[in-house]
Amino acid sequence: MEKDLQRLKSLDRGIQILSHVAAVLDWDQETYMPDNAVEERSDQVAAVRALVHERRTSPEIGELLARLGAGEDNPKGDPGLPEADRALLRVMHREYTREVKLPTDLVVRLAKVTSVAQARWVEARKRSDFKAFAPVLREILELTIESAELLGYEDNRYDALLDSYEPWMRTAKVREVFAHLQKELVSLVDAIRGAAQVDDEFLKADFPIPKQDEFGRFVLEQMGWDSGSGRLDRSAHPFTSTLGAQDVRLTTRYDSHNFKSGLFSTIHEAGHGLYELGFAESFRGSTLANAVSLGVHESQSRTWENIVGRSMPFWTHFYPLLRKAFPAQLSGHELPSFYRAINRVEPSHIRVDADEVTYSLHVILRFNLELKLVNRELAVEDLPEAWREESRRLLGIVPETDALGVLQDIHWSIGSIGYFPTYALGNLYGAQFMNTMRMEIPDLDERLGKGELPTVLGWLRQHIHRHGSSLTAEELVRSVSGEELKADYFLRYLRDKYREIYKLTGI
Ligand code: MG
């Protein structure tokens, strides 16, 4: 048994190395690669990805898993094995059984159609022309439904897709949690709409980009970011990419007339990056040194960006330093008005620019539509109208163009259907984790007010990061909070915060 286990671990190590090689190619493409390299690069990436798929589905892995006792009824294998090995078997069994169900031919067809679709989407969005994107989206949807049928599910076809991004999560659970979230968020947004709006005009003054970059890097360092194990670069859309156990790359973007965008993108991505650098050392080189789910990943970025990074204690420490960096732009604006400005709530069309109250409503909108598309209750050609209807219902506004509505996000063009819910789940995980952190560190706000960010990082490392994917998201949330995932903690956090900012009564 020991020999089988060692062989399985060495196969896994090889797969992880190849995945990181693919990540190097991807990262370079998004940051420094010259334009003319794009065609050959997509062949290079496809070649490495095909190798990864081939290795993950090699019959040898299936045989080793079986010999180690891992099967449908017992994914963790032989009960006599150490717990970390059993966790590895569970993750590898899950990956193997999923991937072997997808024939290479289908994977290739999906890869081809999505590479065409991305370019179509860019063009269609530019001209706000949904009809130009609809045929290729229909193809993607058909292939996605075909994949879901092959992957299998018990209740809802959407389960098979959701599971790719949020392993073991069920559609029924998301529906239940989102129903509660939606009802409460809509009423909170209504209450805010009735209150006096806060002023954030002064944050649209000219904030020179080199100074923004310098300040962002300073905050990054204060958060505990080790520049010996990563980099911060620029890209069109901020992202985080892991190139190795001690090589995590962050990107951000700056706009000289939108101070919030650059700094909060940097903090957000650093939240992702710190998670990637925090997996237990004993997991290094194994698939356990990966995030358990995209929802948990997003909980880390959104906790740093919003719960910590947009809090009064955080800025009690950092605002005097920010004013030193931008004395002219911030003169006459004291801490309370800065705090309100960075937390302004207003329903808007674009998800990535949304405030933390309306953000989850953007996600629920997409979830509702995806669910209908995947279950053939909504046709692709009716999508723009369905989007407008949902936007009116959830956000109280209707986009005038499809570029501001149904065409705004890249996800469907790259075949990522089932991904969106993880963004809102991240908010819920984050608030639920934070509730426990506050109970365990009663003077957290005082410490944040002194700039003691390592307190937060230390807690997250110990309770979240180090586990990697050795616990399921459900096990993780139970081990941290003693309960299953629910919307209440996030809703309570929002109500407490915005009651004060908008002087709301009766919520
Ligand atoms: Mg993110």
Side-chain angles (χ1 to χ4, degrees), residues 119-386:
R120 292 265 168 82
W121 168 74
V122 170
E123 270 308 301
R125 186 173 70 153
K126 221 179 271 166
R127 291 182 280 120
S128 197
D129 179 7
F130 181 75
K131 282 203 173 79
F133 180 56
V136 76
L137 179 58
R138 215 171 282 129
E139 271 183 72
I140 291 174
L141 181 63
E142 286 311 315
L143 291 173
T144 303
I145 289 173
E146 197 180 326
S147 306
E149 288 301 315
L150 288 166
L151 289 168
Y153 50 88
E154 275 170 30
D155 300 328
N156 194 310
R157 188 182 282 145
Y158 195 82
D159 283 334
L161 306 173
L162 178 64
D163 188 71
S164 313
Y165 310 102
E166 195 65 24
W168 294 288
M169 179 57 82
R170 291 283 174 262
T171 308
K173 167 80 180 173
V174 174
R175 256 187 171 146
E176 173 202 316
V177 173
F178 280 10
H180 180 200
L181 190 59
Q182 178 187 319
K183 184 168 161 276
E184 298 297 322
L185 288 179
V186 166
S187 81
L188 180 56
V189 173
D190 273 347
I192 290 173
R193 222 184 248 117
Q197 186 52 287
V198 307
D199 170 32
D200 67 349
E201 262 324 290
F202 65 100
L203 293 180
K204 297 172 189 159
D206 184 15
F207 287 74
I209 288 172
K211 281 266 169 205
Q212 286 194 45
D213 188 58
E214 196 181 314
F215 190 79
R217 285 175 192 277
F218 167 68
V219 172
L220 206 55
E221 201 180 290
Q222 299 297 302
M223 288 169 69
W225 181 254
D226 171 8
S227 55
S229 298
R231 290 179 55 90
L232 173 67
D233 292 272
R234 297 188 198 174
S235 65
H237 296 280
F239 68 91
T240 297
S241 185
T242 298
L243 276 52
Q246 284 179 290
D247 185 357
V248 175
R249 310 290 174 95
L250 314 177
T251 69
T252 192
R253 63 174 162 202
Y254 299 110
D255 174 347
S256 59
H257 290 280
N258 182 354
F259 169 76
K260 288 194 240 186
S261 159
L263 181 65
F264 290 110
S265 294
T266 301
I267 298 176
H268 179 100
E269 298 307 328
H272 282 303
L274 289 167
Y275 181 27
E276 289 284 325
L277 287 170
F279 303 131
E281 251 178 71
S282 58
F283 295 164
R284 194 167 283 183
S286 109
T287 190
L288 294 180
N290 278 298
V292 51
S293 75
L294 291 188
V296 172
H297 224 311
E298 196 66 12
S299 79
Q300 298 309 291
S301 56
R302 300 189 72 81
T303 293
W304 280 105
E305 178 196 346
N306 294 325
I307 305 182
V308 176
R310 290 183 210 261
S311 73
M312 186 56 118
F314 179 92
W315 286 105
T316 301
H317 174 75
F318 282 102
Y319 194 57
L321 304 167
L322 184 71
R323 283 184 106 174
K324 248 184 221 153
F326 299 101
Q329 294 85 341
L330 297 173
S331 94
H333 298 282
E334 301 303 318
L335 175 59
S337 70
F338 175 79
Y339 170 69
R340 284 194 297 270
I342 57 169
N343 287 298
R344 179 185 163 109
V345 174
E346 189 170 33
S348 60
H349 295 301
I350 302 295
R351 174 185 62 86
V352 296
D353 297 331
D355 58 79
E356 63 178 329
V357 178
T358 58
Y359 186 88
S360 300
L361 292 170
H362 287 264
V363 175
I364 293 171
L365 180 161
R366 287 152 181 76
F367 170 69
N368 292 343
L369 297 179
E370 282 189 342
L371 208 49
K372 286 187 182 160
L373 283 171
V374 165
N375 287 302
R376 298 195 192 283
E377 291 158 12
L378 173 66
V380 166
E381 59 263 32
D382 298 328
L383 199 46
E385 185 49 38

